[in-house]
Amino acid sequence: MLLKRAGRNITFKALSELVPRALAFIVFAYAARKLGAGDFGKFSFAVQYAMLFGVIVDPGMNILFIRDVAADRALAPRYINQFAAIKSGLAIAAYLAAVSVIVALGYPSQMVALVAIVGLMPIALAGLKFVGAIFTSWEKIEYEALINVADRIVMVPVACGILYLGYGLLALSSVIVATHALSVLIGVLFVSRYISPVRLSVDWSFCVSILRRVWPLAAMVFLATVYMRGDVVMLSLLGSTDEQIGWYCAGVRIIDVIGAVPFLVMAGLFPIFSDLYENNRQRAGQLFRTTQKLMCAAAFPAAVGGFFVADSAVALIYGEQYLPTSVAFKIVTWRIVFVFMNVLFFQALIATRGEKQAALVAGLGASVNIGLNLWFIPRYGYVGAAASGVLSGLAVCAFLALSIRRALPGSLDLRAALKPLAGVVIMAVVLTAIGQRSIAVLVPCGVVVYGLTQLAFHTFSAEELGALRGLW
């Protein structure tokens, strides 16, 4: 029964997260081609900068909402209304802070105007994520998937049409914000109809108690966001050109799409993992070990494959003007391994009530990332930022692994990585021997070789394969 629940959750999370990210990637890839590296760099900076302040709108509250309401659905009406009120106040504060700081930093008026529009984007996205959290807590993820996919289906042709007609950054940003805002409104209507009416209400004692409980999550989310998104802002502050930022962000965008996979898997498993930790810790450990092996088996070939197809993938997606992106992409592709593993470790740590430990690790990761960027970027530019991301990801992975060993004794199994690692080594040897750069040749060969190695190594036991098949 738990496996069927997990499979259903993951399926709809895939529709809710992976499909919208892929559709959004179409817009950003087309924008990169039409705008050129310089303007695309400005747009990417504005988005990443705004996302740093977007953390204020959701300082980990969605995780708390899902965990509490999944355990007791009777809490839903009060939580929905109180959380909506808190988030509305935080949204105003986040927007004012984003605009005020960009002005104080002395950026040109064009960038200030762009941030004034783009600054609304994380607020709208936070609204969509809150709607998604409500449906996730009730395991009605199909509604979240419907809203998110419809949002991107509308956004893609409209945004691409704006670019095709020759409109610039401000028009593109306005269209994206308007589409997200409309989707939030539709989401609120769905929640009101299928779960509980949404009415803003403020109970100050309740709000204070929630904020007290959420502060470790808030610290973790903020620091994790600095770790994940601060590189683009630091590139700008440390003197990189808009064109260099555009080259860097073009590569990172590809990683963001692939990085949706572990997030959607853990989003589907998180309510179940939380339930098992409270009621059956042995089964929680078994679920963690199987998921760990699955993450290794998916992340390793994705990272190695990205390295081999970097040149042809960048030229295919973005065009010849973005060829400098491939240099950074060959480095940043190794972040895939740490994104997959760190998402699993962070979510497992939170499910085991380890919010404070997770916040500490996020703080260490952000500190390492900032320190490395301060050293690498002035010397190596956007290529240095790519290296900083990989090294800080490794540091976070090590910190989280130590934390998981304490939270779930006996669950962390480093042997889970050995067979996937051996498989990608063989895959890399074969791809090197082929000597081709074409995606059409490398990708099928890589998939076949890696798949055969995992079958030969019996990476997953019959019991684990049965459990995976049991998801659906």
Side-chain angles (χ1 to χ4, degrees), residues 49-350:
Y49 169 83
M51 289 298 180
L52 288 177
F53 290 88
V55 176
I56 298 173
V57 186
D58 177 29
M61 292 174 64
N62 287 349
I63 297 173
L64 186 65
F65 184 98
I66 293 171
R67 195 172 66 189
D68 288 1
V69 175
D72 183 2
R73 292 185 178 181
L75 296 174
R78 187 184 190 195
Y79 267 52
I80 290 172
N81 296 332
Q82 295 292 331
F83 275 53
I86 296 171
K87 285 174 175 285
S88 297
L90 293 175
I92 296 172
Y95 181 76
L96 293 177
V99 175
S100 299
V101 171
I102 201 71
V103 171
L105 289 173
Y107 276 84
S109 58
Q110 182 188 22
M111 181 57 71
V112 173
L114 182 59
V115 168
I117 297 173
V118 174
L120 297 170
M121 192 183 301
I123 295 173
L125 288 173
L128 279 174
K129 288 185 179 298
F130 181 48
V131 168
I134 296 171
F135 285 122
T136 297
S137 67
W138 279 60
E139 295 192 42
K140 293 181 178 290
I141 307 175
E142 63 271 23
Y143 293 111
E144 178 190 7
L146 175 63
I147 294 166
N148 285 344
V149 172
D151 172 79
R152 301 311 194 276
I153 288 176
V154 172
M155 185 185 76
V156 169
V158 176
C160 291
I162 287 290
L163 290 167
Y164 179 78
L165 294 173
Y167 291 96
L169 295 176
L170 298 181
L172 173 65
S173 303
S174 299
V175 164
I176 294 174
V177 169
T179 305
H180 291 333
L182 178 61
S183 299
V184 172
L185 178 60
I186 294 172
V188 169
L189 294 176
F190 270 60
V191 170
S192 297
R193 177 169 182 178
Y194 295 107
I195 295 181
S196 177
V198 179
R199 301 185 183 93
L200 299 184
S201 61
V202 179
D203 179 338
W204 292 108
S205 61
F206 179 83
C207 291
V208 170
S209 68
I210 289 296
L211 292 175
R212 283 177 177 171
R213 289 180 61 199
V214 85
W215 78 261
L217 287 172
M220 184 203 72
V221 171
F222 173 74
L223 293 168
T225 303
V226 171
Y227 154 65
M228 295 176 65
R229 300 186 180 275
D231 47 2
V232 177
V233 175
M234 291 190 70
L235 278 169
S236 177
L237 293 176
L238 293 174
S240 295
T241 65
D242 292 331
E243 192 173 47
Q244 290 170 337
I245 294 173
W247 291 334
Y248 177 74
C249 290
V252 171
R253 277 288 171 187
I254 301 174
I255 303 302
D256 284 346
V257 175
I258 300 171
V261 174
F263 280 101
L264 71 89
V265 170
M266 290 310 300
L269 291 177
F270 183 78
I272 297 166
F273 193 84
S274 299
D275 183 25
L276 287 176
Y277 180 75
E278 295 296 333
N279 300 299
N280 191 332
R281 294 194 179 181
Q282 183 178 357
R283 292 192 64 189
Q286 292 172 347
L287 177 61
F288 178 86
R289 285 189 291 274
T290 301
T291 309
Q292 178 192 358
K293 188 180 291 187
L294 185 63
M295 292 292 190
C296 290
F300 291 173
V304 173
F307 178 82
F308 276 93
V309 304
D311 294 332
S312 53
V314 168
L316 176 66
I317 297 170
Y318 296 112
E320 298 295 325
Q321 63 176 317
Y322 283 89
L323 285 180
T325 293
S326 63
V327 179
F329 185 68
K330 287 180 180 179
I331 299 173
V332 82
T333 185
W334 301 105
R335 286 174 60 176
I336 293 173
V337 173
F338 304 118
V339 169
F340 273 64
M341 301 313 300
N342 291 346
V343 169
L344 167 62
F345 291 162
F346 265 124
Q347 294 284 351
L349 204 54
I350 294 168

